[in-house]
Amino acid sequence: MAVYTLPELPYDYAALEPVINPQIIELHHDKHHAAYVKGANDTLDQLAEAREKNAWGAVNGLEKNLAFHLSGHILHSIYWHNMTGDGGGEPLAADGVGELADAIAASFGSFAGFKAQLTKAAATTQGSGWGVLAYEPVSGRLIVEQIYDHQGNAGQGSVPILVFDAWEHAFYLQYKNQKVDFIEAMWKVVNWQDVAKRYAAAALRGDTSLLAP
């Protein structure tokens, strides 16, 4: 039985137009995300076989594959819910996301400063990767991370709460090679309600399990 499964989209393929067209959503979810799910499950099977046979010649590649595919699955699962056709703007207390808005201001000085940093981090990722707003539990602050592929350059223990996919498959059919235009457009569909829920859950867990007593 598969350990990981492809989640259903929380909206139809056309829900994020005109920011992201339906063809991209369909291919991105049904093909690319599905491939990461399959890759994670296949790698778990291969690791189980290695344990059974005590054959560890491929362990380095298998561990790398597991990190790659599993992180791809997790980030994409967050990505779909981070977006909504009714989203965008700025998180405000009047919309019930005041704690998130306060945390952004405390961590980055202002929403404008945060938006500029995440935009630049996502748009300038070399090759394939993500721009991510994450909760860093040791300091209790929000940080921006520039993640290469799906797993590189990420702080240990940080919890992603808002993710911008900067892989070409996320935008090329519509935006061609203008990654920065796609990232700028992404701000129009951010689901701040979802981001706020993720922030609250991450902050509630705290840092008690990370540092030695």
Side-chain angles (χ1 to χ4, degrees):
M1 182 179 296
V3 175
Y4 303 108
T5 58
L6 181 67
E8 293 185 4
L9 287 171
Y11 35 69
D12 61 43
Y13 295 138
L16 302 178
E17 285 194 294
V19 173
I20 309 178
N21 69 38
Q23 184 182 15
I24 288 178
I25 296 295
E26 182 177 6
L27 289 171
H28 196 168
H29 176 267
D30 297 1
K31 301 298 183 181
H32 291 281
H33 189 172
Y36 300 130
V37 172
K38 183 179 186 302
N41 286 320
D42 288 349
T43 306
L44 287 179
D45 289 342
Q46 293 163 19
L47 285 166
E49 182 179 357
R51 291 192 299 273
E52 181 179 347
K53 297 180 178 180
N54 197 29
W56 300 108
V59 67
N60 287 347
L62 290 174
E63 295 291 359
K64 183 177 180 180
N65 286 344
L66 182 60
F68 176 83
H69 290 297
L70 179 54
S71 295
H73 171 43
I74 291 171
L75 288 170
H76 280 92
S77 297
I78 297 170
Y79 180 67
W80 306 125
H81 288 275
N82 273 173
M83 298 183 291
T84 175
D86 299 323
E90 180 178 346
L92 300 171
D95 298 324
V97 292
E99 290 187 7
L100 173 64
D102 290 345
I104 289 173
S107 298
F108 300 98
S110 67
F111 176 77
F114 152 67
K115 181 178 179 181
Q117 184 176 344
L118 181 54
T119 297
K120 291 296 184 182
T124 61
T125 301
Q126 294 177 337
S128 301
W130 301 72
V132 173
L133 173 66
Y135 176 78
E136 197 287 285
V138 175
S139 66
R141 294 173 58 85
L142 294 173
I143 60 173
V144 164
E145 295 184 314
Q146 190 180 55
I147 298 179
Y148 296 110
D149 291 332
H150 299 309
Q151 77 282 10
N153 211 34
Q156 294 295 316
S158 62
V159 181
I161 64 172
L162 172 62
V163 300
F164 281 6
D165 193 341
W167 283 64
E168 284 192 346
H169 63 237
F171 64 87
Y172 197 85
L173 288 177
Q174 185 174 353
Y175 293 86
K176 307 307 179 190
N177 65 338
Q178 299 303 311
K179 184 192 297 186
V180 66
D181 292 345
F182 170 64
I183 300 302
E184 290 285 0
M186 275 289 298
W187 291 101
K188 300 176 182 177
V189 294
V190 173
N191 184 349
W192 291 115
Q193 298 294 328
D194 181 69
V195 179
K197 290 177 183 178
R198 294 179 187 280
Y199 167 69
L204 183 63
R205 288 197 293 270
D207 69 346
T208 54
S209 64
L210 286 178
L211 300 181

